[in-house]
Amino acid sequence: LIYLLRHGLTAYNAEKRYQGQRDIPLCPAGRAQLRQADLRPETVYITPLCRTRQTAEVLFPGARLVEVKDLQEMCFGSFEGRSYVEMEHDPDYLAWVASNCERRCPDGGQSPELLYACPLLRRRLQLGKYISAAPFQHSRSADAPPSGAAVLAR
């Protein structure tokens, strides 16, 4: 069984900013919202960013944390650090939103299709390298952009 978890709240989340691959830590409110999970995995796979490590340390104390670059957050390119309000007249941002956020983000950003298409996500996570053939499900949340995850294998 595989669980994909979103990291705790950061200041950028609270300010509705795209953080993507910026290494933004959990904010005090984000830390306060976290509690130790009922699950006791031996190993938790996390992204290289501090917010996923901080989240996993609270949820799963004592678990072995393994950084996996292939789990890294989506790169939002020039949108990172900015809020949608700040970009409401930015032609690149408006074109991206008009494409249902499916176009590649400008200035080095990624295309979300890499994150949402199940076969591509399987390759991106390289699950075979970490977990033997396991059932896999995913869902796309319209109200939250792709973000860091912790992967638990049981």
Side-chain angles (χ1 to χ4, degrees):
L1 189 56
I2 298 171
Y3 297 92
L4 297 176
L5 306 174
R6 183 176 164 84
H7 59 76
L9 185 74
T10 69
Y12 271 30
N13 295 140
E15 296 166 1
K16 308 255 188 259
R17 294 184 182 282
Y18 289 89
Q19 60 193 348
Q21 294 180 357
R22 289 189 176 190
D23 201 7
I24 308 300
L26 297 180
C27 64
R31 280 191 177 272
Q33 292 170 343
L34 296 174
R35 301 286 180 269
Q36 184 174 339
D38 292 335
L39 298 170
R40 300 288 181 264
E42 290 179 22
T43 303
V44 177
Y45 299 94
I46 61 172
T47 77
L49 300 182
C50 67
R51 60 186 174 263
T52 59
R53 175 173 293 281
Q54 293 169 331
T55 299
E57 287 172 345
V58 173
L59 294 177
F60 312 108
R64 182 172 67 99
L65 304 181
V66 178
E67 288 186 10
V68 179
K69 185 162 175 44
D70 290 333
L71 291 176
Q72 191 160 332
E73 289 76 352
M74 177 177 163
C75 177
F76 288 100
S78 62
F79 301 157
E80 289 192 10
R82 300 166 68 195
S83 73
Y84 64 90
V85 173
E86 294 169 352
M87 297 185 287
E88 66 184 343
H89 300 295
D90 181 321
D92 288 332
Y93 183 72
L94 295 175
W96 183 67
V97 170
S99 76
N100 196 31
C101 306
E102 294 176 358
R103 286 183 43 192
R104 182 175 296 277
C105 297
D107 299 320
Q110 293 172 305
S111 169
E113 71 184 23
L114 293 174
L115 302 173
Y116 297 138
C118 188
L120 291 174
L121 181 57
R122 283 182 194 211
R123 280 198 300 271
R124 182 177 172 97
L125 299 179
Q126 298 175 0
L127 289 177
K129 196 170 18 171
Y130 306 104
I131 303 162
S132 61
F136 183 79
Q137 293 179 321
H138 75 285
S139 65
R140 179 177 179 181
S141 173
D143 60 348
S147 191
V151 178
L152 313 177
R154 289 193 345 179

